[in-house]
Amino acid sequence: MIKIKLFSYKITIEKEGEKQKKATQAKVNATMQKIKQGLENLQEKNIKYSEYKLQKETKLSINTIKKYRSYIQDLQKQI
């Protein structure tokens, strides 16, 4: 990011994609948080885990849940 002061104006120049990277990371973090909360809710309700039940609990698409399978497996080992 480059900041330039020209006369009485302040100009900021950012590389293309910086904001997009931050937005993408925020979306990933939000998805991971939803999955974690969904797994905790299933455990509190004493419901056996399945991708379909997690989908209903989190309101995420089944493709998203499949994309994060390794993360879900790691969480299940911790919980």
Side-chain angles (χ1 to χ4, degrees):
M1 182 180 341
I2 301 170
K3 294 184 179 182
I4 300 172
K5 190 171 183 180
L6 183 61
F7 301 111
S8 61
Y9 298 100
K10 291 181 181 177
I11 301 171
T12 304
I13 302 171
E14 293 185 8
K15 286 184 178 179
E16 186 177 343
E18 275 186 33
K19 289 184 180 179
Q20 186 176 4
K21 286 180 186 177
K22 290 179 184 178
T24 302
Q25 187 60 42
K27 185 176 178 181
V28 167
N29 290 341
T31 302
M32 293 172 112
Q33 185 63 32
K34 281 184 182 181
I35 289 172
K36 184 177 181 180
Q37 187 65 37
L39 285 173
E40 290 172 354
N41 290 345
L42 288 176
Q43 187 178 20
E44 286 174 8
K45 296 176 184 177
N46 293 327
I47 298 174
K48 189 175 179 182
Y49 169 79
S50 74
E51 290 179 350
Y52 176 75
K53 291 175 186 173
L54 183 60
Q55 177 193 13
K56 290 296 181 185
E57 188 69 32
T58 60
K59 307 287 192 269
L60 294 171
S61 72
I62 195 71
N63 290 333
T64 302
I65 292 172
K66 287 179 181 179
K67 181 178 172 183
Y68 288 94
R69 273 185 183 157
S70 62
Y71 175 71
I72 292 169
Q73 290 171 353
D74 291 341
L75 278 178
Q76 286 177 327
K77 290 176 185 176
Q78 292 174 3
I79 296 177

